[in-house]
C-alpha cells in the first residue's frame, strides 16, 4: 500500500499507509493527524487541506486544476509547492510522497 510522510507543524513526522485511490488528505484525516482540517470533505472548495508538497514529488501527482490553483491563490502561506491535499490522489507510483502540513488556522 502507498505510504505518505507528513511533516507536522510541531516538527514531528508521521508516515502512514494510504490506499490507492485515496487522497493525501484522506490519509491524514483517517489517522487523526493534526493540521489538515478538510472542511469541505475533499470537494476542492475550502482550501483547509493546504499542504506543501516536497519538490521531489511534484511531478508524481496530476497537476493542479484551475479550480485548485484559484483556491490556492487565497490560501494563507501559499507558495509554488502548495497543493490541496484532497487533490493529491495516491497510486503505486507516488508511494513515499512527503508533504509539510502548515499550522491550521
Ligand atoms: S478538503 Fe476542502 S479543498 Fe480539500
Amino acid at each position: 500500500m502507498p505510504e505518505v510522510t507528513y511533516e507536522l507543524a510541531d516538527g514531528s513526522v508521521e508516515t502512514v499507509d494510504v490506499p490507492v485511490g485515496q487522497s493525501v488528505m484522506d490519509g491524514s484525516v483517517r489517522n487523526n493527524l493534526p493540521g489538515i482540517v478538510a472542511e469541505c470533505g475533499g470537494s476542492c472548495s475550502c482550501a483547509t487541506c493546504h499542504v506543501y508538497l516536497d519538490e521531489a514529488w511534484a511531478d508524481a501527482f496530476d497537476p493542479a486544476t484551475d479550480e485548485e490553483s484559484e483556491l490556492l491563490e487565497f490560501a494563507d502561506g501559499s507558495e509554488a509547492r502548495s497543493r490541496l491535499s484532497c487533490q493529491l490522489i495516491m497510486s503505486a507510483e507516488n508511494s513515499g510522497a512527503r508533504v509539510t502540513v502548515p499550522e491550521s488556522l
Side-chain angles (χ1 to χ4, degrees), residues 11-69:
S12 62
V13 175
E14 298 276 353
T15 298
V16 303
D17 293 334
V18 185
V20 169
Q22 291 195 4
S23 69
V24 170
M25 177 276 278
D26 290 320
S28 175
V29 170
R30 288 173 199 275
N31 288 280
N32 296 315
L33 303 183
I36 295 179
V37 177
E39 245 167 44
C40 77
S43 60
C44 198
S45 60
C46 73
T48 61
C49 64
H50 174 210
V51 296
Y52 302 111
L53 178 61
D54 191 292
E55 282 166 15
W57 295 96
D59 296 331
F61 292 89
D62 287 344
T65 60
D66 289 348
E67 194 180 16
E68 180 183 350
S69 298

Side-chain angles (χ1 to χ4, degrees), residues 70-82:
E70 280 169 27
L71 273 173
L72 282 169
E73 271 181 40
F74 299 102
D76 271 3
S78 183
E79 54 182 68
R81 63 195 178 112
S82 290

Side-chain angles (χ1 to χ4, degrees), residues 8 10 12 28 30 38 60 63 76 87 89 91 99 101 103:
L8 303 175
D10 67 0
S12 62
S28 175
R30 288 173 199 275
D76 271 3
Q87 304 302 301
I89 305 301
S91 67
V99 297
V101 181
E103 283 196 50

